[in-house]
Amino acid sequence: MLERDPVPNTAVRRLLTGVKRAAGEGVHRGWELAIELGAIGPDTRRGKRFGRFGRNSVICFPPNTLFNEQYIHIGEGTLFGPQITLSAGMVPGQSMVTDPVISVGDRCLFGKGSGIVGHLEIRVGDDVWTGHHVYITDQNHGYDDLTLPISQQVMPEKPVTIGDGSWLGHGSVVLPGAQIGRHVVVAANSVVTGTLPDNCVAAGVPARVIKQL
């Protein structure tokens, strides 16, 4: 341990310590209240912006990015952890060519810091769970035109589906065209680019089937 002089046990010091502890407790209680009041459910003003927001579903506070919610459908009993990103399109107010763009089933759970960014079609089945910081998208950036920055190039959207009862590990990424079957385990930090059949375990970059259940 670091060596330092002992703190004098004076009345002033005891008072300051008590004030700090009380203030710290107030911060924690205030944050817990903010989490409770800031949660988004089907009956909240923000929840009513969604195309569908099922019973007993919740987006925990604080969310990260939410826009064009009218193109997003959420089933019943689904939980999105804090700092979630749910967006349809590139900018708020954008008109989409499909509706819904993002559809999430019943009893799903998305970990903290995860994101679903859709442009055409992302379909997530029932009972799909993820770890933290999972990213799902149906559009990527192009890079073939050397006269344009990559940030200004886009590839065509490709629909994404994730089957019922699947599990996506921490930090996994699901890219355009990915078709994940039912009861599939995607290992942490894997990148899914193609088709994963039902009842398998997949891992790697890109993800490959390592075990058939």
Side-chain angles (χ1 to χ4, degrees):
M1 294 180 63
L2 296 175
E3 293 184 3
R4 54 186 177 183
D5 296 333
V7 177
N9 185 22
T10 64
V12 172
R13 175 60 62 179
R14 290 194 297 272
L15 177 61
L16 289 174
T17 299
V19 169
K20 288 181 179 179
R21 288 176 178 170
E25 183 66 24
V27 168
H28 286 287
R29 290 187 179 184
W31 183 244
E32 291 170 357
L33 182 61
I35 290 172
E36 180 180 351
L37 297 178
I40 300 171
D43 298 324
T44 63
R45 179 184 62 84
R46 195 72 187 268
K48 291 178 180 178
R49 296 183 186 178
F50 285 77
R52 178 174 179 245
F53 206 122
R55 293 183 303 113
N56 299 320
S57 290
V58 64
I59 298 173
C60 294
F61 179 85
N64 186 14
T65 301
L66 301 174
F67 60 74
N68 298 331
E69 297 98 319
Q70 68 270 28
Y71 296 106
I72 302 173
H73 289 200
I74 298 171
E76 298 184 359
T78 287
L79 171 67
F80 295 90
Q83 298 169 355
I84 198 77
T85 293
L86 281 173
S87 64
M90 296 292 289
V91 294
Q94 181 177 347
S95 295
M96 309 304 296
V97 298
T98 56
D99 188 7
V101 173
I102 297 171
S103 178
V104 178
D106 300 336
R107 301 174 302 278
C108 295
L109 178 121
F110 289 85
K112 175 182 177 180
S114 295
I116 305 177
V117 179
H119 301 266
L120 180 66
E121 183 180 41
I122 296 176
R123 297 284 178 267
V124 180
D126 298 332
D127 302 296
V128 173
W129 283 31
T130 83
H132 296 327
H133 304 291
V134 168
Y135 182 63
I136 304 167
T137 186
D138 60 4
Q139 188 185 72
N140 209 340
H141 285 284
Y143 47 81
D144 292 333
D145 189 341
L146 302 183
T147 67
L148 283 176
I150 292 174
S151 61
Q152 297 179 22
Q153 301 183 52
V154 293
M155 291 180 174
E157 297 90 353
K158 294 181 180 180
V160 169
T161 61
I162 301 174
D164 296 347
S166 290
W167 160 258
L168 279 63
H170 175 102
S172 55
V173 176
V174 180
L175 292 178
Q179 305 291 311
I180 299 174
R182 297 164 57 96
H183 202 90
V184 173
V185 177
V186 177
N189 297 315
S190 297
V191 178
V192 184
T193 60
T195 299
L196 298 178
D198 294 348
N199 307 320
C200 74
V201 178
V205 182
R208 296 283 186 264
V209 175
I210 60 172
K211 184 176 184 179
Q212 193 69 47
L213 304 175

